Amino acid sequence: MFPNRVTLVEVGPRDGLQNEAQQVATDIKVELVHRLQAAGLREIEVTSFVSPKWVPQMADNAQVMAAIARPAGVRHSVLVPNMQGLQAALHGRDLAVETATPVGPRPAVWPDEVVVFGAASQAFSRRNINCSIEESVERFAPVVAAARSAGVKVRAAVSCALGCPYQGDVSADEVEHVVRLMKDIGVQHCGVADTIGVGTPRRVQAVMERALRHFPLDEVSGHFHDTYGQALANIYACLEMGLHVFDASVAGLGGCPYAKGATGNVATEDVVFMLRGMGIDTGIDLDALVTAGGYISGALGRTPVSRAGKALLARRTSEAA
Ligand code: HMG
Ligand code: MG
């Protein structure tokens, strides 16, 4: 039974732009977020509070968070790999004090949600965050506790759930192991990520079934890079299971700097086009989204990777001629 409504988490400003070789100006990132808000996206992954030596493109994280408008009803999230990242995301707050006292209204520059990111493969964990899976979860535990007591929701991303660029195959048992660890430390939502886009529908369903043993249907999402062109099929397979939260990246931006050769996440325009055709509501204005995809692609000096985005932009041009 397909869901009637799907929530798309727009990850382009983070997962997309983190991978750009050219430095993207802060005001372009801010404008992109504003255009995504205007297109009806209600969940936006804005940036990450990681080491600027590891990912220079996200070094303006605090400036971006301070500059974006915060319309009611939009959840803005950021990645945090450790306590230092959380502290920076919560604007230098002393978390030891913060957690001891109940918090009032959240300061405007705080994210609504933070994302801790682990992996189902040891090799990828080491390359991406410089520690083993077990060490990463130990590191996340106080981050999760501090964020939750500050009133900030915590999501986890589990990378390499369908395959690893260094290890190769990753078993469903390995995925479930990390999912369980994330649950045990108090993570509230689990994103299952196909970092290198090698998953195919039946395998994706088998892995999602493992995640659903530990998190409810509303709190499991799919994050599919489209490297092998399987992402829409994988989303369809998840819809068949009733899953209804997916990450997507406007114009198909991105990849992971520590997964060489991995291309961007599935394009948000393509997912919206498919869901609209299936009569599934997303609340997103496809025209405005295509404009946002055209904007960021233009700013980066390329055409959108999104097939639907390109087709709709071409139609606009021919209709205007
Ligand atoms: P490390 O070198 O082991 O960290 O890196 P450390 O604790 O030893 O600290 C070393 C230096 O980094 C110190 O600075 C720290 O202050 C600094 P120094 O004294 O040398 O000047 N540092 C930080 N600076 C700013 N913010 C921080 C921070 N932490 C330490 N939070 C670390 C470990 C986790 C920091 C590093 O490996 C890192 O930043 N990795 C991030 C990698 C990344 O962002 N990857 C892309 C995102 S994940 C992804 O794309 C996958 C996803 O999309 C799902 C999927 O598709 O699979 C989510
Ligand atoms: Mg990703």
Side-chain angles (χ1 to χ4, degrees):
M1 179 70 171
F2 288 125
N4 296 323
R5 193 180 161 83
V6 157
T7 300
L8 293 182
V9 181
E10 172 58 52
V11 297
R14 194 282 304 169
D15 199 2
L17 298 184
Q18 73 177 9
N19 208 38
E20 283 299 319
Q22 55 180 313
Q23 193 59 41
V24 181
T26 303
D27 57 353
I28 292 175
K29 296 176 182 178
V30 171
E31 176 66 19
L32 174 62
V33 170
H34 289 165
R35 285 174 183 250
L36 293 166
Q37 292 167 344
L41 269 306
R42 289 294 165 261
E43 301 218 21
I44 303 175
E45 207 171 82
V46 177
T47 184
S48 54
F49 285 81
V50 298
S51 161
K53 287 184 190 145
W54 284 64
V55 184
Q57 195 63 255
M58 298 284 108
D60 59 355
N61 42 33
Q63 291 92 311
V64 174
M65 285 304 288
I68 57 169
R70 298 295 292 269
V74 183
R75 188 189 288 166
H76 299 87
S77 57
V78 302
L79 263 58
V80 291
N82 52 20
M83 220 43 194
Q84 192 176 333
L86 181 68
Q87 209 129 19
L90 301 192
H91 216 51
R93 286 295 178 106
D94 180 347
L95 294 171
V97 175
E98 199 68 46
T99 52
T101 44
V103 285
R106 192 184 290 131
V109 290
W110 282 24
D112 304 296
E113 182 179 58
V114 293
V115 184
V116 292
F117 50 106
S121 134
Q122 291 288 6
F124 187 80
S125 180
R126 291 207 175 277
R127 300 271 185 140
N128 196 41
I129 49 175
N130 205 23
C131 62
S132 71
I133 294 171
E134 290 69 26
E135 285 163 344
S136 76
V137 174
E138 258 172 51
R139 202 179 273 178
F140 297 150
V143 174
V144 176
R148 288 192 63 174
S149 57
V152 175
K153 188 175 178 182
V154 184
R155 182 153 55 90
V158 175
S159 288
C160 297
L162 278 305
C164 168
Y166 310 109
Q167 170 185 316
D169 289 344
V170 173
S171 70
D173 284 346
E174 287 174 291
V175 179
E176 188 176 352
H177 173 65
V178 191
V179 170
R180 185 188 291 115
L181 293 176
M182 293 291 195
K183 178 72 181 177
D184 288 349
I185 60 169
V187 161
Q188 293 158 289
H189 178 104
C190 180
V192 175
D194 186 3
T195 313
I196 53 171
V198 290
T200 46
R202 285 195 205 288
R203 278 269 303 136
V204 166
Q205 286 181 333
V207 166
M208 287 300 186
E209 193 266 315
R210 298 301 191 96
L212 289 167
R213 290 183 190 174
H214 303 277
F215 286 85
L217 193 60
D218 291 348
E219 300 296 354
V220 173
S221 57
H223 175 106
F224 298 110
H225 285 266
D226 202 22
T227 316
Y228 290 84
Q230 302 300 301
L232 281 181
N234 290 336
I235 289 176
Y236 189 93
C238 291
L239 293 171
E240 284 185 332
M241 301 173 75
L243 286 159
H244 54 87
V245 186
F246 302 98
D247 293 355
S249 178
V250 67
L253 296 174
C256 173
Y258 295 98
K260 290 289 171 238
T263 58
N265 221 266
V266 64
T268 317
E269 299 92 314
D270 295 356
V271 183
V272 172
F273 189 87
M274 179 180 85
L275 294 173
R276 193 177 69 166
M278 293 172 73
I280 298 175
D281 182 30
T282 59
I284 295 167
D285 174 344
L286 182 56
D287 274 341
L289 180 64
V290 166
T291 305
Y295 164 76
I296 189 62
S297 302
L300 298 173
R302 64 172 82 113
T303 52
V305 172
S306 164
R307 304 281 284 270
K310 263 197 288 216
L312 291 167
L313 283 171
R315 195 157 84 189
R316 267 186 213 171
T317 312
S318 70
E319 281 169 4

PDB file of all heavy atoms in Angstrom, residues 5 28 34-35 49 52 62 76 85 92 99 101 138 144 150 153 170 183 199 228 240 260 270 273 284 293 298 308:
ATOM      1  N   ARG A   5       1.268  10.492   1.185  1.00  0.00           N
ATOM      2  CA  ARG A   5       2.101  11.688   1.272  1.00  0.00           C
ATOM      3  C   ARG A   5       3.540  11.272   1.552  1.00  0.00           C
ATOM      4  O   ARG A   5       3.775  10.319   2.301  1.00  0.00           O
ATOM      5  CB  ARG A   5       1.576  12.559   2.427  1.00  0.00           C
ATOM      6  CG  ARG A   5       2.148  13.928   2.406  1.00  0.00           C
ATOM      7  CD  ARG A   5       1.663  14.830   3.515  1.00  0.00           C
ATOM      8  NE  ARG A   5       2.624  15.931   3.616  1.00  0.00           N
ATOM      9  CZ  ARG A   5       2.598  17.012   2.849  1.00  0.00           C
ATOM     10  NH1 ARG A   5       1.639  17.194   1.986  1.00  0.00           N
ATOM     11  NH2 ARG A   5       3.538  17.945   2.952  1.00  0.00           N
ATOM     12  N   ILE A  28      25.467  32.455  -2.129  1.00  0.00           N
ATOM     13  CA  ILE A  28      24.818  31.524  -3.071  1.00  0.00           C
ATOM     14  C   ILE A  28      24.163  30.375  -2.289  1.00  0.00           C
ATOM     15  O   ILE A  28      23.040  29.966  -2.570  1.00  0.00           O
ATOM     16  CB  ILE A  28      25.843  30.991  -4.100  1.00  0.00           C
ATOM     17  CG1 ILE A  28      26.266  32.137  -5.019  1.00  0.00           C
ATOM     18  CG2 ILE A  28      25.285  29.814  -4.905  1.00  0.00           C
ATOM     19  CD1 ILE A  28      27.348  31.783  -6.009  1.00  0.00           C
ATOM     20  N   HIS A  34      16.950  29.584   0.518  1.00  0.00           N
ATOM     21  CA  HIS A  34      15.725  30.395   0.428  1.00  0.00           C
ATOM     22  C   HIS A  34      14.842  29.920  -0.722  1.00  0.00           C
ATOM     23  O   HIS A  34      13.615  29.847  -0.601  1.00  0.00           O
ATOM     24  CB  HIS A  34      16.074  31.879   0.278  1.00  0.00           C
ATOM     25  CG  HIS A  34      16.641  32.448   1.549  1.00  0.00           C
ATOM     26  ND1 HIS A  34      17.296  33.654   1.596  1.00  0.00           N
ATOM     27  CD2 HIS A  34      16.652  31.962   2.821  1.00  0.00           C
ATOM     28  CE1 HIS A  34      17.687  33.895   2.854  1.00  0.00           C
ATOM     29  NE2 HIS A  34      17.308  32.875   3.595  1.00  0.00           N
ATOM     30  N   ARG A  35      15.460  29.586  -1.840  1.00  0.00           N
ATOM     31  CA  ARG A  35      14.663  29.122  -2.986  1.00  0.00           C
ATOM     32  C   ARG A  35      14.027  27.758  -2.690  1.00  0.00           C
ATOM     33  O   ARG A  35      12.914  27.481  -3.138  1.00  0.00           O
ATOM     34  CB  ARG A  35      15.538  29.044  -4.243  1.00  0.00           C
ATOM     35  CG  ARG A  35      15.828  30.436  -4.802  1.00  0.00           C
ATOM     36  CD  ARG A  35      16.800  30.356  -5.955  1.00  0.00           C
ATOM     37  NE  ARG A  35      17.123  31.678  -6.443  1.00  0.00           N
ATOM     38  CZ  ARG A  35      16.721  32.177  -7.623  1.00  0.00           C
ATOM     39  NH1 ARG A  35      15.999  31.437  -8.437  1.00  0.00           N
ATOM     40  NH2 ARG A  35      17.055  33.389  -7.978  1.00  0.00           N
ATOM     41  N   PHE A  49      28.830  20.749  10.483  1.00  0.00           N
ATOM     42  CA  PHE A  49      29.830  21.286  11.415  1.00  0.00           C
ATOM     43  C   PHE A  49      30.917  20.235  11.594  1.00  0.00           C
ATOM     44  O   PHE A  49      31.020  19.600  12.639  1.00  0.00           O
ATOM     45  CB  PHE A  49      29.163  21.704  12.729  1.00  0.00           C
ATOM     46  CG  PHE A  49      28.391  22.995  12.590  1.00  0.00           C
ATOM     47  CD1 PHE A  49      27.116  23.000  12.043  1.00  0.00           C
ATOM     48  CD2 PHE A  49      28.954  24.201  12.974  1.00  0.00           C
ATOM     49  CE1 PHE A  49      26.418  24.196  11.888  1.00  0.00           C
ATOM     50  CE2 PHE A  49      28.271  25.401  12.832  1.00  0.00           C
ATOM     51  CZ  PHE A  49      26.999  25.395  12.282  1.00  0.00           C
ATOM     52  N   PRO A  52      36.999  21.786   8.988  1.00  0.00           N
ATOM     53  CA  PRO A  52      37.206  22.470   7.703  1.00  0.00           C
ATOM     54  C   PRO A  52      38.419  21.935   6.959  1.00  0.00           C
ATOM     55  O   PRO A  52      38.546  22.123   5.760  1.00  0.00           O
ATOM     56  CB  PRO A  52      37.397  23.941   8.103  1.00  0.00           C
ATOM     57  CG  PRO A  52      37.746  23.925   9.544  1.00  0.00           C
ATOM     58  CD  PRO A  52      37.163  22.680  10.140  1.00  0.00           C
ATOM     59  N   ALA A  62      28.630  28.266  10.156  1.00  0.00           N
ATOM     60  CA  ALA A  62      27.963  29.184  11.095  1.00  0.00           C
ATOM     61  C   ALA A  62      27.392  30.402  10.364  1.00  0.00           C
ATOM     62  O   ALA A  62      26.290  30.871  10.678  1.00  0.00           O
ATOM     63  CB  ALA A  62      28.946  29.627  12.172  1.00  0.00           C
ATOM     64  N   HIS A  76      15.326  22.697   9.755  1.00  0.00           N
ATOM     65  CA  HIS A  76      16.668  22.849   9.195  1.00  0.00           C
ATOM     66  C   HIS A  76      17.623  21.985  10.002  1.00  0.00           C
ATOM     67  O   HIS A  76      17.671  22.098  11.235  1.00  0.00           O
ATOM     68  CB  HIS A  76      17.101  24.320   9.262  1.00  0.00           C
ATOM     69  CG  HIS A  76      16.208  25.236   8.480  1.00  0.00           C
ATOM     70  ND1 HIS A  76      15.075  25.802   9.012  1.00  0.00           N
ATOM     71  CD2 HIS A  76      16.265  25.651   7.193  1.00  0.00           C
ATOM     72  CE1 HIS A  76      14.474  26.543   8.087  1.00  0.00           C
ATOM     73  NE2 HIS A  76      15.174  26.464   6.972  1.00  0.00           N
ATOM     74  N   GLY A  85      31.539  19.584  17.046  1.00  0.00           N
ATOM     75  CA  GLY A  85      30.601  20.000  16.000  1.00  0.00           C
ATOM     76  C   GLY A  85      29.272  20.443  16.587  1.00  0.00           C
ATOM     77  O   GLY A  85      28.691  21.455  16.172  1.00  0.00           O
ATOM     78  N   GLY A  92      28.314  27.759  20.088  1.00  0.00           N
ATOM     79  CA  GLY A  92      29.278  27.905  21.166  1.00  0.00           C
ATOM     80  C   GLY A  92      28.708  27.734  22.564  1.00  0.00           C
ATOM     81  O   GLY A  92      29.356  28.095  23.541  1.00  0.00           O
ATOM     82  N   THR A  99      22.884  21.238  29.391  1.00  0.00           N
ATOM     83  CA  THR A  99      22.124  20.009  29.611  1.00  0.00           C
ATOM     84  C   THR A  99      21.595  19.925  31.039  1.00  0.00           C
ATOM     85  O   THR A  99      20.647  19.215  31.304  1.00  0.00           O
ATOM     86  CB  THR A  99      22.989  18.776  29.315  1.00  0.00           C
ATOM     87  OG1 THR A  99      24.187  18.903  30.046  1.00  0.00           O
ATOM     88  CG2 THR A  99      23.292  18.656  27.842  1.00  0.00           C
ATOM     89  N   THR A 101      20.253  22.350  32.673  1.00  0.00           N
ATOM     90  CA  THR A 101      19.096  23.224  32.870  1.00  0.00           C
ATOM     91  C   THR A 101      18.120  23.075  31.700  1.00  0.00           C
ATOM     92  O   THR A 101      18.543  23.004  30.549  1.00  0.00           O
ATOM     93  CB  THR A 101      19.551  24.703  32.917  1.00  0.00           C
ATOM     94  OG1 THR A 101      20.488  24.905  31.863  1.00  0.00           O
ATOM     95  CG2 THR A 101      20.171  25.087  34.220  1.00  0.00           C
ATOM     96  N   GLU A 138      30.493   5.504  20.213  1.00  0.00           N
ATOM     97  CA  GLU A 138      30.866   6.025  21.543  1.00  0.00           C
ATOM     98  C   GLU A 138      30.944   7.555  21.528  1.00  0.00           C
ATOM     99  O   GLU A 138      30.569   8.224  22.479  1.00  0.00           O
ATOM    100  CB  GLU A 138      32.260   5.508  21.917  1.00  0.00           C
ATOM    101  CG  GLU A 138      32.243   4.352  22.890  1.00  0.00           C
ATOM    102  CD  GLU A 138      33.643   3.773  23.047  1.00  0.00           C
ATOM    103  OE1 GLU A 138      34.588   4.544  23.301  1.00  0.00           O
ATOM    104  OE2 GLU A 138      33.774   2.546  22.859  1.00  0.00           O
ATOM    105  N   VAL A 144      24.284  12.846  21.159  1.00  0.00           N
ATOM    106  CA  VAL A 144      22.845  12.580  21.113  1.00  0.00           C
ATOM    107  C   VAL A 144      22.194  13.045  22.414  1.00  0.00           C
ATOM    108  O   VAL A 144      21.173  13.751  22.399  1.00  0.00           O
ATOM    109  CB  VAL A 144      22.574  11.067  20.885  1.00  0.00           C
ATOM    110  CG1 VAL A 144      21.082  10.770  20.941  1.00  0.00           C
ATOM    111  CG2 VAL A 144      23.177  10.602  19.561  1.00  0.00           C
ATOM    112  N   ALA A 150      18.892  19.519  24.872  1.00  0.00           N
ATOM    113  CA  ALA A 150      18.753  20.920  24.426  1.00  0.00           C
ATOM    114  C   ALA A 150      17.525  21.084  23.522  1.00  0.00           C
ATOM    115  O   ALA A 150      17.300  22.156  22.960  1.00  0.00           O
ATOM    116  CB  ALA A 150      20.017  21.348  23.694  1.00  0.00           C
ATOM    117  N   LYS A 153      16.262  17.577  17.805  1.00  0.00           N
ATOM    118  CA  LYS A 153      16.054  16.199  17.352  1.00  0.00           C
ATOM    119  C   LYS A 153      17.352  15.611  16.782  1.00  0.00           C
ATOM    120  O   LYS A 153      18.168  16.355  16.235  1.00  0.00           O
ATOM    121  CB  LYS A 153      14.938  16.163  16.294  1.00  0.00           C
ATOM    122  CG  LYS A 153      14.536  14.741  15.909  1.00  0.00           C
ATOM    123  CD  LYS A 153      13.343  14.654  14.960  1.00  0.00           C
ATOM    124  CE  LYS A 153      13.110  13.161  14.640  1.00  0.00           C
ATOM    125  NZ  LYS A 153      12.022  12.903  13.710  1.00  0.00           N
ATOM    126  N   VAL A 170      28.466  -5.222   1.626  1.00  0.00           N
ATOM    127  CA  VAL A 170      28.135  -4.973   3.037  1.00  0.00           C
ATOM    128  C   VAL A 170      26.873  -5.792   3.309  1.00  0.00           C
ATOM    129  O   VAL A 170      25.908  -5.722   2.549  1.00  0.00           O
ATOM    130  CB  VAL A 170      27.873  -3.466   3.275  1.00  0.00           C
ATOM    131  CG1 VAL A 170      27.371  -3.211   4.681  1.00  0.00           C
ATOM    132  CG2 VAL A 170      29.145  -2.651   3.014  1.00  0.00           C
ATOM    133  N   LYS A 183      20.157   3.176  17.712  1.00  0.00           N
ATOM    134  CA  LYS A 183      18.931   3.164  18.521  1.00  0.00           C
ATOM    135  C   LYS A 183      19.289   3.179  20.011  1.00  0.00           C
ATOM    136  O   LYS A 183      18.714   3.923  20.801  1.00  0.00           O
ATOM    137  CB  LYS A 183      18.112   1.912  18.160  1.00  0.00           C
ATOM    138  CG  LYS A 183      16.845   1.743  18.941  1.00  0.00           C
ATOM    139  CD  LYS A 183      15.805   2.733  18.517  1.00  0.00           C
ATOM    140  CE  LYS A 183      14.546   2.563  19.327  1.00  0.00           C
ATOM    141  NZ  LYS A 183      13.551   3.574  18.965  1.00  0.00           N
ATOM    142  N   GLY A 199      22.871  -0.073  -4.744  1.00  0.00           N
ATOM    143  CA  GLY A 199      21.720  -0.859  -4.308  1.00  0.00           C
ATOM    144  C   GLY A 199      20.711  -1.063  -5.434  1.00  0.00           C
ATOM    145  O   GLY A 199      20.580  -0.233  -6.330  1.00  0.00           O
ATOM    146  N   TYR A 228      24.462   4.593 -10.164  1.00  0.00           N
ATOM    147  CA  TYR A 228      24.154   3.543 -11.152  1.00  0.00           C
ATOM    148  C   TYR A 228      22.720   3.651 -11.679  1.00  0.00           C
ATOM    149  O   TYR A 228      22.190   2.686 -12.230  1.00  0.00           O
ATOM    150  CB  TYR A 228      24.430   2.158 -10.548  1.00  0.00           C
ATOM    151  CG  TYR A 228      25.913   1.910 -10.359  1.00  0.00           C
ATOM    152  CD1 TYR A 228      26.578   2.381  -9.225  1.00  0.00           C
ATOM    153  CD2 TYR A 228      26.671   1.261 -11.333  1.00  0.00           C
ATOM    154  CE1 TYR A 228      27.945   2.203  -9.058  1.00  0.00           C
ATOM    155  CE2 TYR A 228      28.037   1.069 -11.179  1.00  0.00           C
ATOM    156  CZ  TYR A 228      28.673   1.547 -10.035  1.00  0.00           C
ATOM    157  OH  TYR A 228      30.030   1.369  -9.880  1.00  0.00           O
ATOM    158  N   GLU A 240       6.665   0.825  -1.682  1.00  0.00           N
ATOM    159  CA  GLU A 240       5.885  -0.421  -1.579  1.00  0.00           C
ATOM    160  C   GLU A 240       5.832  -0.926  -0.146  1.00  0.00           C
ATOM    161  O   GLU A 240       4.901  -1.616   0.243  1.00  0.00           O
ATOM    162  CB  GLU A 240       6.511  -1.518  -2.458  1.00  0.00           C
ATOM    163  CG  GLU A 240       6.237  -1.353  -3.932  1.00  0.00           C
ATOM    164  CD  GLU A 240       6.769  -2.526  -4.753  1.00  0.00           C
ATOM    165  OE1 GLU A 240       7.750  -3.180  -4.333  1.00  0.00           O
ATOM    166  OE2 GLU A 240       6.191  -2.781  -5.821  1.00  0.00           O
ATOM    167  N   LYS A 260      35.093   8.278  -3.471  1.00  0.00           N
ATOM    168  CA  LYS A 260      35.477   8.738  -4.810  1.00  0.00           C
ATOM    169  C   LYS A 260      34.619   8.080  -5.887  1.00  0.00           C
ATOM    170  O   LYS A 260      34.326   6.891  -5.826  1.00  0.00           O
ATOM    171  CB  LYS A 260      36.951   8.406  -5.075  1.00  0.00           C
ATOM    172  CG  LYS A 260      37.905   9.242  -4.252  1.00  0.00           C
ATOM    173  CD  LYS A 260      37.958  10.710  -4.697  1.00  0.00           C
ATOM    174  CE  LYS A 260      38.749  11.574  -3.727  1.00  0.00           C
ATOM    175  NZ  LYS A 260      38.006  12.701  -3.161  1.00  0.00           N
ATOM    176  N   ASP A 270      13.368  14.934  -9.944  1.00  0.00           N
ATOM    177  CA  ASP A 270      12.969  13.634 -10.501  1.00  0.00           C
ATOM    178  C   ASP A 270      12.025  12.897  -9.549  1.00  0.00           C
ATOM    179  O   ASP A 270      11.052  12.268  -9.974  1.00  0.00           O
ATOM    180  CB  ASP A 270      14.204  12.765 -10.788  1.00  0.00           C
ATOM    181  CG  ASP A 270      15.090  13.365 -11.882  1.00  0.00           C
ATOM    182  OD1 ASP A 270      14.714  14.408 -12.465  1.00  0.00           O
ATOM    183  OD2 ASP A 270      16.166  12.797 -12.143  1.00  0.00           O
ATOM    184  N   PHE A 273       8.645  14.629  -9.576  1.00  0.00           N
ATOM    185  CA  PHE A 273       7.943  14.316 -10.832  1.00  0.00           C
ATOM    186  C   PHE A 273       7.316  12.922 -10.760  1.00  0.00           C
ATOM    187  O   PHE A 273       6.143  12.727 -11.107  1.00  0.00           O
ATOM    188  CB  PHE A 273       8.922  14.398 -12.016  1.00  0.00           C
ATOM    189  CG  PHE A 273       8.257  14.310 -13.356  1.00  0.00           C
ATOM    190  CD1 PHE A 273       7.766  15.450 -13.982  1.00  0.00           C
ATOM    191  CD2 PHE A 273       8.107  13.080 -13.985  1.00  0.00           C
ATOM    192  CE1 PHE A 273       7.135  15.370 -15.220  1.00  0.00           C
ATOM    193  CE2 PHE A 273       7.471  12.986 -15.215  1.00  0.00           C
ATOM    194  CZ  PHE A 273       6.988  14.140 -15.835  1.00  0.00           C
ATOM    195  N   ILE A 284       5.406  20.067  -2.581  1.00  0.00           N
ATOM    196  CA  ILE A 284       6.466  20.837  -3.263  1.00  0.00           C
ATOM    197  C   ILE A 284       5.957  21.353  -4.608  1.00  0.00           C
ATOM    198  O   ILE A 284       5.287  20.640  -5.356  1.00  0.00           O
ATOM    199  CB  ILE A 284       7.721  19.953  -3.451  1.00  0.00           C
ATOM    200  CG1 ILE A 284       8.305  19.609  -2.073  1.00  0.00           C
ATOM    201  CG2 ILE A 284       8.767  20.660  -4.318  1.00  0.00           C
ATOM    202  CD1 ILE A 284       9.338  18.521  -2.082  1.00  0.00           C
ATOM    203  N   GLY A 293      16.765  24.558  -9.009  1.00  0.00           N
ATOM    204  CA  GLY A 293      17.794  23.685  -9.599  1.00  0.00           C
ATOM    205  C   GLY A 293      18.550  24.401 -10.709  1.00  0.00           C
ATOM    206  O   GLY A 293      19.775  24.273 -10.835  1.00  0.00           O
ATOM    207  N   GLY A 298      23.331  26.983 -12.591  1.00  0.00           N
ATOM    208  CA  GLY A 298      23.907  28.156 -13.261  1.00  0.00           C
ATOM    209  C   GLY A 298      25.054  28.741 -12.445  1.00  0.00           C
ATOM    210  O   GLY A 298      26.114  29.078 -12.974  1.00  0.00           O
ATOM    211  N   ALA A 308      14.295  15.365 -15.081  1.00  0.00           N
ATOM    212  CA  ALA A 308      13.039  16.126 -15.104  1.00  0.00           C
ATOM    213  C   ALA A 308      13.341  17.625 -15.127  1.00  0.00           C
ATOM    214  O   ALA A 308      12.693  18.395 -15.843  1.00  0.00           O
ATOM    215  CB  ALA A 308      12.182  15.764 -13.897  1.00  0.00           C
TER     216      ALA A 308
END
